[in-house]
Amino acid sequence: MTSSNTSAASSTGRVVASVLAVLAVIVAAVCAVWFGYRGYQAYFVDKPIQSTRDGAVAGAEQAIINVTTVDPKNTADWKRRVDASLTGKAKDQISQQDVTNLNSMITEAGPQAASLTSRLVRSAPTEVNADDEKAKVLVFVAATSKRENEAGVTRTMGFSVSMTKVGDDWKAEDIAPLDAMSFDQSVAESSTAPSAGGGN
C-alpha cells in the first residue's frame, strides 16, 4: 500500500471514528432526554395521580364504613367518626338535629333498636384530578342491620362518593346512594333512617 493510500485510509478511519463519536453523543443525549422525561413523568405526573387515587379511595371507603356503622348505644361515637370523614355538603347534611332524632328513635325502639354494621365489598375510582386534589369513587358495602337475639339482615349498597383533600386527609364532600330504595329500606329496618340518610 502506497503512502497516499495509507494516508487516505487513515483519514477515512478518523472520519468514521468522528462520526461514530458524534452519533454516540447524540444517542447519549437522546437517552438522557428520554430517561429524564420518563423520570419527570413518573415523579411529577404518575406519582401524584397514583397518590391521589390511593388516598381518595381509602378515604371514601372509610367514610362509607363510618356512615353505615351505627351502635345505638353510642351515637356520639358515630357522629364523631362521621364528622372526621366528611366535609362540605356531606357534613352539613348530618346535623346535630339528626343525631337528636336518631337518639329519640332509639329510645322509642328500646330493646328493639337495631345496630348497623358494614363491611367493604369493593371500590373503584371513576374520576381522579390530581391538580385539584379531587376524585370520585364508587364504594360498595354489605350493610347488616341486627336487633338483639335476632338474625341480621344484610344488603349490599353502593355509593358514589365525591372526595376532596382537606389538609393531609381525604374527606367525602358528597355521597350519593346508587340504589336509593335499597339504602332506604336497610336504614329503616335498622331504625337509623335520619342519620344514615343524612349522608346522601
Side-chain angles (χ1 to χ4, degrees):
M1 181 179 292
T2 65
S3 60
S4 61
N5 288 340
T6 301
S7 177
S10 177
S11 177
T12 300
R14 285 194 297 273
V15 170
V16 170
S18 297
V19 170
L20 290 176
V22 170
L23 287 175
V25 170
I26 292 173
V27 168
V30 169
C31 286
V33 170
W34 170 250
F35 287 115
Y37 166 77
R38 290 305 303 158
Y40 178 89
Q41 178 80 11
Y43 192 81
F44 292 103
V45 178
D46 296 343
K47 186 175 179 180
I49 291 174
Q50 184 64 45
S51 178
T52 298
R53 179 185 297 113
D54 293 346
V57 169
E61 292 172 350
Q62 190 60 57
I64 295 304
I65 291 295
N66 285 344
V67 169
T68 57
T69 300
V70 183
D71 179 356
K73 297 177 182 178
N74 191 355
T75 55
D77 182 62
W78 171 79
K79 184 66 163 63
R80 178 191 59 77
R81 288 183 288 105
V82 166
D83 285 345
S85 298
L86 308 184
T87 189
K89 177 184 176 182
K91 188 172 183 178
D92 292 342
Q93 287 174 320
I94 301 181
S95 65
Q96 187 56 47
Q97 184 60 46
D98 291 322
V99 179
T100 300
N101 292 342
L102 172 61
N103 288 330
S104 296
M105 292 180 67
I106 290 172
T107 300
E108 290 176 9
Q112 293 301 308
S115 63
L116 183 66
T117 59
S118 64
R119 62 177 177 80
L120 180 69
V121 175
R122 61 185 181 276
S123 62
T126 57
E127 296 178 21
V128 176
N129 186 332
D131 293 334
D132 293 338
E133 296 186 314
K134 291 182 179 293
K136 283 190 177 181
V137 184
L138 296 181
V139 180
F140 293 86
V141 294
T144 301
S145 58
K146 186 179 185 307
R147 293 185 175 92
E148 194 172 349
N149 299 322
E150 292 184 12
V153 177
T154 301
R155 284 187 174 82
T156 298
M157 299 187 295
F159 302 87
S160 175
V161 189
S162 297
M163 301 296 296
T164 188
K165 196 169 186 183
V166 180
D168 294 330
D169 301 320
W170 280 94
K171 298 191 177 188
E173 59 181 353
D174 191 28
I175 300 175
L178 299 181
D179 185 346
M181 183 170 293
S182 174
F183 178 75
D184 291 341
Q185 288 174 346
S186 178
V187 296
E189 289 183 1
S190 66
S191 301
T192 59
S195 58
N200 296 344

